[in-house]
Structure formats: structure tokens, C-alpha cells
Amino acid sequence: MRLHCLTLRNFRGVKDRSVRLPALGTTVVVGDNEVGKSSLVEAFGLIFKLPDDSKSTQIREIQPVGQDVGPEVTVELTLGGRELTYTKRWLKNRSTELTIVEPDGRRQSWTGREAHNEAERLFHEHVDPVLWQTLMVSQGQSLVLPTPADAEPLITAVTAESGTPVDGASMPLVTAVEHEYLRYWTRGGRATGDFARSEKAVAAAELTAAQAMKAMEEVQQDIRRAERLALDLSDVDSRLTDHLKSVEELRERKKATDEILLRRDAVRHRAETAQARLVNHTRTRVERERLLDEVERFAKTDAELAKRRTDAETVAKTAAETVHAAEAALAEVVELKDARRTDVQEAERRVSELVDRAELDRLLGQQAELVDVRARIAAAGTILDRIKVDDALVSALEDARAKVVEARAALAAGVPEVSVRRLGAEPVELSGTGVDPLPSELGFDESAELLVSGELVIGVPGQVEVTVRAGGEAATLRSRVDEAVRREKDLLKKAGVKDLAAARELLRKADTASAELQEARRTERSLTAGGDLGERIAVLTARLGPEEPAEVPNQQPAVEGVPGQMSLFEEFASPHDTLFEGFELPVGEPDDLAGAQRALEEARAELASVERLLSDAEFAAAQARKAADEDRSEAQNARARSELAGERLAAAVEALDAARAALDDEAVSAAEIEAKAEAEAVLEELTAVQEQVDAAGADQVAGALADALAVATRLQGERDTLRDALRTTEGRLEQSGRDGLATRRDVAELELAAVRSEHESLRRRAEAARRVHETLSRHRAEAQTKYSEPLQSRIEALGRSVYGPSFRVWLDDDLAVAERELDGVRLRVDALSTGAQEQLAIITRLAISHLVSTGEGSVPVIFDDALGWSDKARLRDMGALLGRAGDHGQIIILTCMPDRYEYVPRATFIKLES
């Protein structure tokens, strides 16, 4: 198959575009993102896949958004030797047209569904789907290595090339065996289809038979259980009757003891009341004693706190007087410190003024020096601009000089040297070509040594003429000399010097000027590191007030002792140059900064002494305040405690008076004694009644009756449970008799036997299909090992043009590349870098295309956005490979990066405009 032209109308974002492709060679279709490159491949797939009346979402997706138009695709191609023109429009004004031109020139046309069916038939007849999917690389799939073992055109090609038949395992036979195998087994070897359903039917029949057998066993168990439940029920009835007789006896005993228990409860209640009265009177006595103790204790505490309050107030008054005296002394020291601080500020102002003036003088000097440095920078820059010689040019001149010497030495060794001397009075004339040097004639007794690289004619007019010709290599040697001399002259002209020595001298001067320039620039950076000198001078001038700063001198003599300060400029400067004249250093005036700094130090020393006195005074005042605060706080606390103690004493006296008003102290003691006697009498009566209860065993009778009733209730529940279980079991037995469980068991066993027989027949056929499939697969694998050699050889041949002679690959059973070896290192494909995997996938597809290019089943190779992970060197090699691959088939590349394919020779580039 060969594609000739693709035309898209109203297809996604493409309004109307037609792309014509060469039938042979490499074509690069270039376009920006979203211009519709990938839509070309998508359109070709849809035109053969979906009819014009399809409602597939794929068709809805290719319709332009918001436009009521029908997507249309036209493709022109060669398929099976026929030329096809196929047009299809979906959704709006649907239509399908197919025109076929036979090899003999006959033309046929179809429309509608017939056109679709005929095109689909031809496409599937001449295009192997596996090969088509293998050689069409969609966007983002360039890393996927092909597995073309099921591509019939490739198998046919490698079989023909290797000369090895597949032992009768043709594709139809393989397909038939595969189809029969898949009737019974999945590709993973699990049962499927009728065979799997037969296994499930056997399992279901076995389950049914097991359930029927289990039901019969449950009937037998119910019979035995009914017999056991009847015996247990009779036993429980007997035990319950006997136990109910003992319950009645306990009830009679309880009636006889209830009167004694009621009398004991009445006496116990009276005893509890007497005991509660005794507790109340005892609590009253204890409370009265507590009140008396509190009044006595609070009276003693009140007297002690009153004395402490008086003492604390006296101490607080003395501390306040001490604080007043300390604060007066502190105020005097503060006044003295203010006076000393004023003196220090005045001294600091004087020192700051003198320092600013010294700084101003220094900055004026730096400003003058900066002018000189910038003049030096300008002069050095001018010198460097004049010099055109650099290290590379001098090195080139040295090489040219060496080549001239070498060429002349070779010329001298390879051409004849002629010595001519005039002996008589007759003139000797010299002429010719390729002679260096060549005087026109010789004077008397004059001689010349000549190198002849061409032809030399020596003549004495009217007497003799001698011609000397050089050999065949002389012209070559002479051209080398001329070329070397010309090269040297060009370099000297470029440098603007007369010879190599002058160029070296200029290079030395340039180095000196460059060093001087760097030194001057370092000095300039040092002078301007602190900021703009003019701005700093203006700030200092404004700070110093109305006095005028010293003017910047307009001349500055050269500083002595600075290495090479002006030596370079003097070497190149003209006597008439005045660029570096007119600079002088300013002369500083003496000042009294040292005296001012001494006065400042003395003022600071006096201030420090006063600050120490102030610190001591502040410490003393702080200590006095702290002591006064503590004494005042102690006096306040003493006052508060004294007042609280008075309040507590008053409250205790008031509480005691209130209690005595209700009941005096003697009455409290008498009431407690009376309550104690009453409680003792009631307790004696309670003891006597309890002895009667114990003798009659009244307490145990009630417990024994409750236990007996609980046992009776339990036995009644057990009897009811057994009765219900017996009824349920008898009901199941009656129902089992009506259901015919024995018949169901017999029917289930017969059905199980029939299903097992059918399954055994299917199992034998399935096992036979598996053995045939395994045998055919084994033979096919052996054949694949034989016919994979042509594909492996073709991949290695193409890969060596990119990676070199050490490139090797190994294929797996699906003819996919499994491992690669390069420079002796063998790696699995998934261990390679992303770029190497992509390059290997492209090489493999080109090898497949090369193998099937001569057959009728060949298809174009399409790469959509490939070579995105390759470096520049690999892009060059892969480009050459893609160019050579185009000599054997049709290669179509879609890309938005044309630079990746600039190394593809003889490629046709098609630009898609948006």
C-alpha cells in the first residue's frame, strides 16, 4: 500500500487541507502544535473503519465544535496494484464514493454502503492489521518496541529470505488450532466455554447429590433426637413434681416465722432512732467544746497581732525618712551628671568637626587621585585600541613563519640549484619562471645562486643559450612556498606590522598596557568603594557649615616609588600629548584634633566618674525604697491580720452566745447522758429478739424458699424447651416423609452420573486440543528461531550505521528485541535510556519495512512526533538512516520540530500552515 494524497475538510480544527505524499522516499510533514498533523493519521483510520451513517462518539469528536458541518476525508492510494480514490463525509449530507482504476486501465465506481464494504474488503485483503499497527507510530508511542510475530507479511518475507518453511504450520492452520484451543482453554491455560460450563455443571450436580445425601442423614439424626428428647422430657417432669412438694413445705415454715421477724424489725427501728438521737447530742457537745476553744484561741491571737501591728508601723515610718534622704542625694548627683554630659557633648562636637574636616581633606585628595587614575585608564584603553595583535594572531604568525621556512627548505631540497658566474666581457642574461631570486643580468665577475622550480634560461647574446627545467614536483613545492608566504603576508597585514618580531613587540606592549589598565581599574574601584566622592564631599561641606572647603588642586605630580605608574604612557605618548598634565596633590593644613580628643577623653573620664557616683546613689535610693516598701507592706499585712483576728474573735463570741441562748452547757451534757441510757436499753431488747429469730431459723427460711422457687422455674423452663424441641423434630420428620427425600437422592445420583459422563467426553477433546496446540506452538517456536535470523540481521545492519560495528540484538519468541549489546555491554531493552529505546524501536520498524517492502502486503511507515529523546550526534545518524530507509519504501514523519530531521538526506519537507 502507498499513500498519495490525503484531503481533510471540517475535520476537528482543519477547515480544508490537502497533503500530497511521494510514493517512495522519506517525507517530513512539518506543522505547529494543533495544526492538524495527527489528524491526518486519524482520518485515514476512520475512513476505512466507520461508515458514513455511524453514530460513534469518534465521529462526534472530529466535528468542529459549534459548527453544523459534516467532517469529510478523501484519500488517494495504491492498494494491491489498484489506484483508489475514496471519499467519505459523516453527519451532515452523508456520502461515500469509491473509484478504482485497475492495472489494465479499467475504472469502477461505487457509492454509499457498497463503496464502504468494497473499500473495507480491499483494505483487509491487502493490509495486514498487525503490520499496519506495528509500522504506524502514534504520538507518544515512539518508545513502544514492536512485537510483529503475528504479522503474516513479515513471516512470509523472513521465511522466503531464510529459505526455511514453517513445517506446515501455515497461518490458517495456526488460526484453526488456536480457535479450537480457545474453545476449551484461555490463553493462560484455564478452562473456558463449554468445558468450563461442564466443570461447573459437574460441581453443581455433585453439590445437589451431596445435599440430598445430607438431607437423608439429617432425617436419621432427627429420629434419634426425637427419641432422646422424649426420654429427657419424662425425666424432667418427674424431678419437677418432687421439687414442687419441697417448695410447699418451705412456704409453711416461712408463715410461722414471719411474726418473729416483724417484731425484730420494730425493735431494730427503735434502736436506730435512739442511736441517731445519741449521735445528735454527742455532736452538739463536741460543737460546744469547739466554740469555747475558738474563743480562747482567737482572743490570744488578737492580742499578739495588735502588738506586731504597732511595731511594724514604727519601722515603716523610719524607712520612709531614709528614702527621702537618699532621693535628695540622688537629685544632686543627677544635676552633676547633666553638667558633665554637656561638657562631653561639646567635646564630641569639636572632635567630630575636626574629624569631618580631616575626612574632607582626605576625600579631596582621593578625588584628585581618581581623576589621575581615570586619565590612566583612558590612555591605556586608547593604546589597547590601537594594537591589533593578540596571542592568537602571534601564534598564527609563528605557525605561518614556520610553514614558510619548512616550504622553502623543502623547495631547496626538491629543486635544482644553479650557480651562474660571469667570467668575460660579454653580458650574461637571465630569464625564466619559478626562479627565486632572478636578476635580469650579471655584472663582471658577479655570480648568483638560483633555485629553479620552473624554467631558467641563461644566455650570452649571439653565443650561447642554456635552459634549465625543474622536475614534476617543483611546481607543487613552489606553490606551497607561495601559499605560505601569502599566508604570512596576510597575517602581517592584519596585525599592521612588518615582521614577526614587530608583532611580538606589540604583543608585549599590549600585555603591559593591559596590566597597567587592570591596576588602574583596581585603584579606581578602591577609591570609589565607599560611594560617590563628590556626594560625600558635599555632605561633609554641608555638615561643617559656612566655611569654604579647600579647592581641588588642578595639578598632581607623579607619585614617586609606584612601579610603572607612567612608564607605559611615556613609552607610547607623543611629545605633544597633554592628556596627563595638570594634576597635583593637595597639601593638608595642621589642626588641633589631638588636643580636642584629649579634652574629650578627660570629659568622658569625669562623666564616667559621675556616672559611677550616680550608680551608687541610685543603688542606695533603690535599696532604701525597697526596704521602705517591704516595711510598709509588712505594716499593712500586720494591720490586716490584726483586723481579721478581731473579726474572727467577735464572730466566735457571737456564735457561742447564740448556742448558749438555745441550750446552756450543763443541759447539753445532761441530754447526751439521757440519750446514751435510752440507746443501751433498746439494744438489750434487740439482742433478746435476735436470739429468738436465730433459734427459729427465720432468716434461712426465706433464702431457702427463694432458691427453691428459682430451681422450680428453671426446671419448668427446661421442660418447656424439651417439649418445643420434640414438637419441632416431629414436625420435620413429618415434612420429610411428605417431601420424598429418598427419591430426590436417587434422582441426584443419576443426574451426577450423566453430567460426569458428558464432562469426561469434553475433557478428552479439550486435552487433545491442548496437546495439539502445545505441539504446534513448540514447532512454531523452533521455526521462529530459524526465520528470526533475517530480521535480526536486518536490525543489526541498520543499527551498526548508527552505533558502530559492536551493535548486536537478540529477539524473543514474538520477534521483539529483548536485549542489546554495545561495546561488549549486553543489557535488557527496559534497562536502556529513553533515547536508546526510542532509537531501537525506530530501527526495528525500518528493518520490518525493508523486509516487506517488495511484497504486496507492504505499508507505509508513519512516525508521529519521534526522536524527542536523542542528542545531536544521534539525530545526525538517525537522520541518515531514515534517508536511506526511504530508498526502499514510503516513510512519513509528522513533527513540529523540523530541526530534528535536518540531517535526513533527500527528504521531502511539507509545511502545514495554520
Side-chain angles (χ1 to χ4, degrees), residues 489-510:
K489 288 180 179 179
D490 290 343
L491 292 175
L492 290 173
K493 182 178 179 180
K494 181 179 179 181
V497 295
K498 63 181 180 179
D499 55 17
L500 178 60
R504 288 172 176 164
E505 181 61 21
L506 275 183
L507 181 61
R508 183 192 66 77
K509 292 179 179 180

Side-chain angles (χ1 to χ4, degrees), residues 291 294-299 302 642-658:
L291 290 174
E294 279 188 352
V295 169
E296 182 180 0
R297 180 163 48 84
F298 287 160
D302 181 63
S642 176
E643 292 175 354
L644 180 62
E647 292 175 358
R648 287 180 176 177
L649 176 60
V653 170
E654 183 179 359
L656 179 61
D657 291 344

Side-chain angles (χ1 to χ4, degrees), residues 795-857:
I795 294 173
E796 290 178 348
L798 295 178
R800 283 167 185 156
S801 65
V802 177
Y803 296 99
S806 63
F807 176 82
R808 290 189 64 194
V809 296
W810 282 265
L811 306 183
D812 58 16
D813 293 341
D814 294 327
L815 299 183
V817 177
E819 297 177 352
R820 186 207 71 178
E821 181 178 319
L822 189 63
D823 297 330
V825 179
R826 184 168 174 176
L827 296 172
R828 290 184 55 80
V829 169
D830 53 11
L832 300 176
S833 67
T834 303
Q837 291 185 34
E838 183 184 45
Q839 294 151 18
L840 191 56
I842 292 174
I843 291 171
T844 303
R845 288 183 171 91
L846 293 178
I848 295 170
S849 175
H850 196 180
L851 282 170
V852 302
S853 61
T854 57
E856 293 184 355

Side-chain angles (χ1 to χ4, degrees), residues 171-490:
M171 293 305 294
L173 176 59
V174 172
T175 303
V177 172
E178 183 79 10
H179 181 268
E180 182 66 17
Y181 174 78
L182 294 177
R183 283 185 58 192
Y184 305 103
W185 308 97
T186 64
R187 296 189 183 277
R190 297 188 302 272
T192 187
D194 294 339
F195 186 42
R197 286 190 292 272
S198 176
E199 286 186 343
K200 292 179 181 179
V202 170
E206 289 177 346
L207 178 61
T208 302
Q211 291 174 345
M213 185 63 67
K214 183 178 180 181
M216 287 299 298
E217 292 177 356
E218 289 176 354
V219 169
Q220 298 296 329
Q221 292 176 0
D222 284 342
I223 294 173
R224 290 191 294 271
R225 185 181 181 191
E227 294 174 353
R228 185 177 64 254
L229 287 174
L231 293 175
D232 293 343
L233 180 60
S234 175
D235 179 64
V236 169
D237 279 337
S238 175
R239 286 190 290 130
L240 179 60
T241 301
D242 296 340
H243 185 70
L244 289 177
K245 293 179 180 178
S246 64
V247 169
E248 290 300 325
E249 293 176 355
L250 287 174
R251 281 185 178 145
E252 293 298 328
R253 287 184 58 193
K254 185 175 181 304
K255 289 179 182 179
T257 58
D258 283 345
E259 183 180 353
I260 300 175
L261 291 176
L262 289 175
R263 188 152 50 89
R264 184 190 65 178
D265 292 339
V267 175
R268 181 179 292 168
H269 177 69
R270 286 165 46 210
E272 291 175 353
T273 302
Q275 187 66 29
R277 187 180 299 112
L278 175 61
V279 170
N280 289 334
H281 286 296
T282 302
R283 186 182 299 111
T284 301
R285 178 184 59 77
V286 172
E287 178 65 16
R288 183 64 53 85
E289 292 174 351
R290 184 186 67 78
L291 290 174
L292 290 171
D293 291 341
E294 279 188 352
V295 169
E296 182 180 0
R297 180 163 48 84
F298 287 160
K300 183 178 180 182
T301 301
D302 181 63
E304 292 176 354
L305 290 177
K307 184 177 182 304
R308 288 182 185 178
R309 173 182 177 180
T310 302
D311 296 341
E313 290 176 348
T314 303
V315 172
K317 183 177 181 182
T318 304
E321 295 174 354
T322 304
V323 169
H324 181 72
E327 289 180 345
L330 176 62
E332 294 178 358
V333 177
V334 169
E335 292 178 359
L336 180 60
K337 177 185 175 184
D338 294 339
R340 293 295 178 266
R341 183 182 290 111
T342 303
D343 295 340
V344 170
Q345 291 174 350
E346 181 62 26
E348 287 177 342
R349 185 193 61 76
R350 178 59 181 164
V351 169
S352 176
E353 180 181 358
L354 293 174
V355 169
D356 289 344
R357 291 191 180 281
E359 177 67 12
L360 178 61
D361 294 340
R362 187 183 66 82
L363 292 176
L364 291 172
Q366 285 188 352
Q367 190 178 44
E369 184 180 357
L370 181 61
V371 172
D372 171 59
V373 168
R374 287 174 174 168
R376 291 163 56 193
I377 291 173
T382 302
I383 293 169
L384 290 174
D385 291 341
R386 294 175 184 173
I387 297 175
K388 301 179 179 178
V389 178
D390 55 12
D391 290 336
L393 189 55
V394 171
S395 177
L397 279 171
E398 290 174 348
D399 294 341
R401 176 77 279 190
K403 290 181 180 179
V404 169
V405 174
E406 292 175 0
R408 285 179 173 169
L411 181 64
V415 302
E417 181 179 5
V418 178
S419 178
V420 181
R421 183 178 182 184
R422 179 178 173 181
L423 299 177
E426 296 297 329
V428 177
E429 298 177 352
L430 302 175
S431 62
T433 59
V435 181
D436 186 22
L438 180 61
S440 59
E441 64 179 25
L442 295 177
F444 179 74
D445 201 24
E446 185 180 359
S447 63
E449 304 292 335
L450 305 174
L451 292 175
V452 181
S453 59
E455 182 179 277
L456 173 64
V457 179
I458 306 170
V460 178
Q463 296 186 18
V464 67
E465 182 179 91
V466 178
T467 300
V468 180
R469 295 185 178 87
E473 295 183 358
T476 302
L477 296 174
R478 168 55 65 181
S479 65
R480 291 178 181 174
V481 172
D482 293 342
E483 177 62 24
V485 171
R486 184 191 61 76
R487 172 64 177 164
E488 183 182 27
K489 288 180 179 179
D490 290 343

Side-chain angles (χ1 to χ4, degrees), residues 716-736:
Q716 288 174 351
E718 184 177 350
R719 181 192 60 186
D720 294 341
T721 302
L722 290 172
R723 184 179 296 149
D724 292 341
L726 180 59
R727 290 173 181 172
T728 302
T729 304
E730 290 174 347
R732 280 203 304 271
L733 290 173
E734 184 179 356
Q735 183 65 34
S736 298

Side-chain angles (χ1 to χ4, degrees), residues 496-535:
V497 295
K498 63 181 180 179
D499 55 17
L500 178 60
R504 288 172 176 164
E505 181 61 21
L506 275 183
L507 181 61
R508 183 192 66 77
K509 292 179 179 180
D511 292 340
T512 305
S514 177
E516 187 68 22
L517 178 61
Q518 293 177 1
E519 178 63 28
R521 284 178 175 166
R522 283 196 295 271
T523 304
E524 180 187 23
R525 287 194 297 271
S526 176
L527 291 174
T528 58
D532 186 8
L533 293 178
E535 182 180 348

Side-chain angles (χ1 to χ4, degrees), residues 557-577:
V559 182
E560 298 294 337
V562 180
Q565 182 191 13
M566 292 297 291
S567 59
L568 175 65
F569 307 128
E570 292 170 358
E571 182 176 357
F572 288 95
S574 168
H576 305 289
D577 290 342

